[in-house]
Amino acid sequence: MDPSSSDSALYPGDVDYEFESNEVPEPLSVVDDELVPKVGMTFRTLEDAGKFYRDYAKAAGFSTRVRCTNRKGNEIKNQLITCSREGKWKSKISPTEKTNPTAGLNCPARIYIHTLKDVGAWIISKVVLDHSHPCCPSKAEMLKQHRELSMSIRRTIENNDEAGIRPSKTYQSFVAAAGGHRELNFIEKDVRNYITREVRNVSEQEDAKEFGKYLLRMKEKNPNFFFELQLEEDQSIKLAFWADARSRAACEYFGDVISFDTTYNTNRYNLVCGSFVGVNHHGQSTLLGCSLMKNEEIESFKWLFQCWLRCMGENAPKGFLTDQCASMKRALEACMPTTVHRWCIWHIMKKIPSKLNGYKAHADIEQQMSHVVWNSHSKDSFDRNWNNFLVNFGLADNKWLSDLYEDRHIWVPIYLDHHFWAGMRSTQRSESMHSFFNKYITRNSSLIQFVKQYDNCLGSREQAERESDAADFHTVIPCATKSPIETQFQDVYTQAKFREVQAQFRGKANCITRLKNSALGYSVYEVGEQVSSSILDKFAVTYDSVATEVKCQCLLFESRGILCRHALSVLSFEQVSQVSPRYILERWSKKVKRRHTHIKSSHDEPLIEPRSKRFDQLVFRSQNICKFASESEELTAILHRAYDNVMAEMEAVKAKRKGTSSLSHEDANLESVNELQSPPRIRTRGRPKNRLGSKLEKQIANATKKKKTKVLSEINLFDAASVAHSSSSQYQGQVINYQFRVPAAGDNSLGV
């Protein structure tokens, strides 16, 4: 027989492409008769009836929705539940412009349920099983109604979100644990929706109130928690500052040098984040306060710096690093007149290409300028080298370079390194903190999300310090040389700082020491350091044998607290076996008992509902049982039987109490901050950059753009937003039963 004429031959139009060619097509809607709804079926509650129809829908391959509910007073009398494809939706947008998918096909499938007054039960009075569309049970699990996040899944999502784990990574962890995508009864979109609608669902009206409640909770947990707010006339937040008890205690030891930066924007209200960052005894960054600012005006910075001083017991730092901001500079001069102000040299050097790229030899200019800045070892040599640099490249009339030279005392290293800076020359430590926030916070984040991540940052900094303290206690770095001076530092300094000392001892091998003159125990040396095969840098080092004092021209000890290789070479030449205690700084010591190490950083406990708390407690306790039972099949079987018995007992108890119990959210027992309002939300087009940059950086960037008109309009909008503000009304508050009082005369801020 000719195969082409066979009755069993398949033609392209006859093939059902819904199934694989090697699979047997499953019946589209064959359902167990016990699951099919029938007229006359009764249920104890309306919820039971709805669940029964949903289970049938899942088995049959469709989803349901409540079409209408009739009430008499507060009581439900009857309800109509239909297939979700019932009705017909028509878009208001013309199909020629845009077409959206629609599910409505006027499907007639439905059940009608009404209450039985005398019995107190619910009965199905009408059933329509036919559909106007095909149903596929294998695809039912993809329908929204049949996708579900269990309690365990929800708690994992919440914890991962607080830890900053991306939703995609969270979902992939569920896939890996379940053994594949098909084993999950939800999709990645459900995880993202849960985070958006449940975990991060803080309205703009409630956001500021939740922020205020957070501050009060932290104050209640530890009275040394400090915060202050400045409000606008409409009670919206204009300025905010807070610091936890651990940060305040740490400032006693590490508040001598502060880096402050406001170049990141991390919330939906366009409030600028500013962080006060110090350096601990391991050379690690430590947070000493955080702020949110509506603008960067002089008065705002004055309020903030005065607030920080009040928080830290009016102890002004010795050094303060900022970016090249005129408002910040004037505010610091007014609030901390004795503090040495330093501009971030990294920001300045980064601007060289954009400022000088109009010159033909701009690459040589950049290289020579960097050499003058970094390799001038005295003020006189810097002035001489700078003038030669300007003359050689014809830059004497360049205004930017002229302005930098006028301000050389606040950014050139040789003018500043005779002060202690704990190794800081830029605000990059502050920016690294902001980059931590930037991993988990976006421009659409709420205030309460921001403070949660701030808590996480505090916790990570505390943990890093604890780990380093433990390493110092349990381990020792061996000496690299036989020098007794190195042993001196090994015994006292933390490992991180001792490694810096060792680097200087190793560098001593490249130094050649020559005595120039000596009189009455005071000697002057010239130490040549072989930087490269062709470069030999020379440094003047003095040594007073009477006062046991050594001083080098490079000023490494004065600026970083670490003896330089040049000074060590002279001490070795003088056969000194022990350095004076003045060169072993207590600041880098691992033997000092510091008060802040006994204080935990602030961490807000999440206000979760009682059921979630009970769930977490049960999961925690069950871990040990499961670990014990997993040792053998016999123990596992025992635990399975116990689970079955307990489950049956709990279901019996639940059935008896059905309809009588209810769950409610536990309040935090804190007075609400009812009048506090969020600032107006700033909506942007496209994805904005979180990093704001200084005003000077913006001007540089704008100058290089081609579309001048667009740039000018953006600058005008920015300036208008930063200048236009209403006269603010400020309130001073003391926490008395957690209620803010009406301000007395002279009070002008809200804080604790």
Side-chain angles (χ1 to χ4, degrees):
M1 181 181 293
D2 186 4
S4 63
S5 62
S6 172
D7 293 337
S8 62
L10 291 176
Y11 295 94
D14 299 329
V15 178
D16 184 2
Y17 287 99
E18 186 173 346
F19 304 98
E20 296 287 341
S21 60
N22 60 344
E23 292 183 356
V24 178
E26 60 175 308
L28 291 182
S29 57
V30 176
V31 184
D32 189 344
D33 189 62
E34 293 181 358
L35 296 177
V36 179
K38 302 177 183 66
V39 175
M41 281 186 169
T42 58
F43 304 90
R44 293 184 59 185
T45 65
L46 180 62
E47 289 75 16
D48 290 342
K51 184 179 184 302
F52 176 82
Y53 194 47
R54 286 194 300 273
D55 292 342
Y56 163 72
K58 186 175 183 180
F62 69 99
S63 60
T64 68
R65 67 177 178 180
V66 177
R67 183 66 178 83
C68 63
T69 301
N70 293 325
R71 302 173 183 268
K72 186 175 182 180
N74 293 328
E75 295 184 2
I76 297 176
K77 293 301 180 181
N78 52 64
Q79 192 171 82
L80 175 64
I81 306 177
T82 68
C83 171
S84 60
R85 304 192 73 173
E86 180 267 346
K88 192 76 172 179
W89 178 80
K90 185 176 181 180
S91 175
K92 296 180 180 179
I93 303 174
S94 171
T96 58
E97 297 179 13
K98 184 179 180 181
T99 55
N100 293 322
T102 177
L105 286 174
N106 288 325
C107 182
R110 64 191 61 204
I111 65 170
Y112 183 77
I113 314 167
H114 70 268
T115 182
L116 296 173
K117 296 181 180 179
D118 300 334
V119 183
W122 294 81
I123 187 171
I124 297 179
S125 59
K126 183 179 179 180
V127 177
V128 177
L129 298 180
D130 296 330
H131 294 266
S132 63
H133 56 88
C135 298
C136 182
S138 65
K139 292 183 173 60
E141 62 184 15
M142 290 291 102
L143 296 174
K144 184 178 180 181
Q145 184 181 64
H146 304 311
R147 303 197 306 262
E148 182 184 7
L149 299 177
S150 66
M151 176 70 76
S152 175
I153 295 295
R154 292 199 300 269
R155 293 298 295 135
T156 303
I157 293 172
E158 292 167 8
N159 292 333
N160 286 3
D161 182 69
E162 186 173 352
I165 300 174
R166 297 195 300 271
S168 61
K169 296 296 184 183
T170 298
Y171 179 71
Q172 288 302 321
S173 70
F174 293 141
V175 172
H181 291 268
R182 286 179 173 269
E183 307 304 319
L184 295 177
N185 59 347
F186 59 91
I187 60 177
E188 184 176 343
K189 185 178 180 180
D190 297 324
V191 176
R192 296 183 180 277
N193 287 344
Y194 182 74
I195 293 173
T196 303
R197 298 172 185 173
E198 302 295 334
V199 180
R200 301 179 182 175
N201 186 23
V202 180
S203 67
E204 295 173 22
Q205 292 75 21
E206 296 297 321
D207 195 12
K209 295 181 177 63
E210 290 300 322
F211 177 62
K213 291 176 183 178
Y214 159 83
L215 297 175
L216 292 176
R217 285 195 300 271
M218 294 298 98
K219 183 71 178 178
E220 185 179 42
K221 289 177 69 174
N222 192 322
N224 286 327
F225 184 91
F226 181 96
F227 74 89
E228 280 194 21
L229 304 175
Q230 188 182 78
L231 311 178
E232 297 280 22
E233 287 183 341
D234 61 356
Q235 303 302 303
S236 65
I237 297 173
K238 180 181 180 182
L239 297 165
F241 170 81
W242 68 98
D244 72 326
R246 192 175 194 276
S247 297
R248 298 180 73 184
C251 192
E252 177 183 344
Y253 308 98
F254 312 129
D256 48 357
V257 182
I258 298 296
S259 170
F260 180 75
D261 183 72
T262 59
T263 56
Y264 274 84
N265 207 356
T266 51
N267 53 78
R268 63 177 66 157
Y269 312 108
N270 217 28
L271 295 177
V272 179
C273 168
S275 56
F276 295 83
V277 179
V279 178
N280 67 9
H281 51 304
H282 300 289
Q284 300 165 340
S285 300
T286 182
L287 276 166
L288 301 176
C290 189
S291 65
L292 292 172
M293 306 173 65
K294 194 172 183 179
N295 58 59
E296 296 182 82
E297 298 174 354
I298 297 174
E299 293 304 316
S300 297
F301 283 121
K302 280 185 179 180
W303 180 91
L304 180 59
F305 294 153
Q306 290 168 354
C307 186
W308 187 84
L309 286 173
R310 286 194 297 272
C311 173
M312 302 305 174
E314 301 294 340
N315 295 319
K318 296 177 181 177
F320 206 98
L321 281 91
T322 69
D323 61 7
Q324 206 173 353
C325 176
S327 299
M328 233 183 278
K329 182 175 181 289
R330 292 181 61 182
L332 273 173
E333 291 171 351
C335 300
M336 306 178 194
T338 60
T339 298
V340 180
H341 181 204
R342 182 172 192 162
W343 277 346
C344 171
I345 193 171
W346 179 80
H347 281 106
I348 294 174
M349 301 304 289
K350 191 183 71 168
K351 295 169 188 172
I352 296 176
S354 59
K355 287 291 187 179
L356 304 177
N357 61 2
Y359 297 90
K360 288 184 179 181
H362 63 87
D364 295 334
I365 292 174
E366 181 178 354
Q367 183 179 359
Q368 185 62 29
M369 181 176 171
S370 297
H371 179 79
V372 170
V373 170
W374 294 110
N375 295 293
S376 297
H377 302 302
S378 67
K379 295 178 182 179
D380 291 338
S381 66
F382 173 79
D383 293 340
R384 184 171 57 255
N385 293 338
W386 183 269
N387 289 329
N388 292 337
F389 159 69
L390 296 180
V391 171
N392 291 339
F393 290 98
L395 300 172
D397 297 329
N398 187 286
K399 188 177 185 305
W400 183 67
L401 293 175
S402 299
D403 292 341
L404 281 182
Y405 184 75
E406 290 297 323
D407 294 322
R408 62 191 180 280
H409 61 284
I410 58 175
W411 69 276
V412 177
I414 193 59
Y415 283 86
L416 294 160
D417 282 351
H418 56 284
H419 299 289
F420 181 71
W421 293 102
M424 289 196 289
R425 282 177 171 171
S426 74
T427 59
Q428 285 181 309
R429 286 183 181 268
S430 297
E431 293 190 18
S432 67
M433 291 296 182
H434 294 160
S435 66
F436 177 92
F437 299 139
N438 199 29
K439 293 178 184 177
Y440 315 115
I441 298 294
T442 68
R443 282 285 298 271
N444 293 321
S445 299
S446 63
L447 294 177
I448 199 64
Q449 283 177 258
F450 176 79
V451 295
K452 283 182 179 179
Q453 291 307 326
Y454 179 78
D455 282 350
N456 289 341
C457 190
L458 283 175
S460 70
R461 295 292 87 209
E462 178 189 3
Q463 182 63 18
E465 185 174 324
R466 290 178 66 244
E467 291 174 4
S468 297
D469 285 341
D472 286 335
F473 184 80
H474 293 290
T475 60
V476 175
I477 297 177
C479 290
T481 68
K482 301 297 183 182
S483 171
I485 296 177
E486 185 183 2
T487 306
Q488 242 185 310
F489 287 107
Q490 180 198 43
D491 183 57
V492 179
Y493 274 17
T494 62
Q495 290 187 10
K497 288 300 164 182
F498 179 58
R499 288 189 187 278
E500 293 184 26
V501 172
Q502 282 190 325
Q504 299 303 317
F505 271 95
R506 293 189 180 98
K508 191 177 69 167
N510 299 322
C511 296
I512 303 171
T513 305
R514 184 170 67 89
L515 178 64
K516 295 188 70 175
N517 58 70
S518 178
L520 301 175
Y522 186 84
S523 305
V524 179
Y525 289 86
E526 182 183 81
V527 179
E529 181 182 1
Q530 197 74 43
V531 180
S532 66
S533 58
S534 59
I535 300 176
L536 180 70
D537 287 343
K538 295 181 179 180
F539 298 88
V541 182
T542 61
Y543 177 69
D544 188 340
S545 59
V546 178
T548 62
E549 182 180 7
V550 63
K551 188 173 183 180
C552 179
Q553 186 182 15
C554 74
L555 300 175
L556 184 70
F557 177 76
E558 286 77 6
S559 62
R560 291 177 56 184
I562 301 293
L563 270 180
C564 66
R565 59 196 70 188
H566 320 116
L568 291 173
S569 296
V570 170
L571 292 176
S572 178
F573 190 89
E574 290 279 349
Q575 297 183 346
V576 176
S577 59
Q578 296 286 315
V579 296
S580 171
R582 71 165 66 94
Y583 298 111
I584 303 177
L585 300 188
E586 188 178 86
R587 199 188 192 290
W588 307 135
S589 174
K590 61 185 176 183
K591 295 186 174 182
V592 175
K593 302 298 181 183
R594 296 176 173 87
R595 186 167 59 92
H596 75 281
T597 58
H598 303 288
I599 305 173
K600 290 183 179 180
S601 61
S602 68
H603 189 80
D604 192 19
E605 296 179 359
L607 298 175
I608 58 178
E609 63 179 19
R611 183 181 181 184
S612 296
K613 288 183 179 180
R614 293 192 293 268
F615 177 84
D616 290 345
Q617 292 167 357
L618 290 170
V619 169
F620 181 78
R621 292 199 64 182
S622 65
Q623 288 177 352
N624 290 333
I625 299 174
C626 295
K627 179 182 177 181
F628 185 81
S630 63
E631 293 179 358
S632 69
E633 290 291 341
E634 183 181 2
L635 294 176
T636 302
I638 293 173
L639 183 58
H640 278 307
R641 288 196 297 271
Y643 276 149
D644 293 339
N645 295 334
V646 171
M647 193 67 187
E649 183 179 352
M650 290 191 298
E651 286 178 347
V653 172
K654 186 177 179 180
K656 291 179 182 178
R657 299 178 59 185
K658 200 164 188 178
T660 61
S661 63
S662 62
L663 291 175
S664 62
H665 193 281
E666 289 183 344
D667 293 328
N669 296 324
L670 294 172
E671 296 291 339
S672 61
V673 190
N674 292 323
E675 294 184 358
L676 203 58
Q677 300 294 323
S678 301
R681 181 167 184 172
I682 306 299
R683 301 190 181 276
T684 59
R685 297 178 64 186
R687 184 185 183 278
K689 293 181 179 179
N690 283 4
R691 194 179 188 282
L692 295 178
S694 65
K695 292 181 179 178
L696 189 55
E697 287 180 85
K698 293 171 188 173
Q699 293 170 4
I700 295 169
N702 290 338
T704 59
K705 290 183 179 179
K706 296 180 180 179
K707 297 182 180 180
K708 300 288 185 179
T709 56
K710 183 178 179 181
V711 171
L712 289 174
S713 64
E714 290 176 353
I715 293 176
N716 292 335
L717 287 174
F718 179 84
D719 291 341
S722 62
V723 174
H725 64 281
S726 61
S727 58
S728 61
S729 62
Q730 307 174 33
Y731 293 84
Q732 173 73 28
Q734 302 294 334
V735 176
I736 303 175
N737 297 326
Y738 295 103
Q739 292 183 353
F740 296 114
R741 65 177 175 81
V742 177
D747 290 351
N748 60 358
S749 64
L750 173 68
V752 179

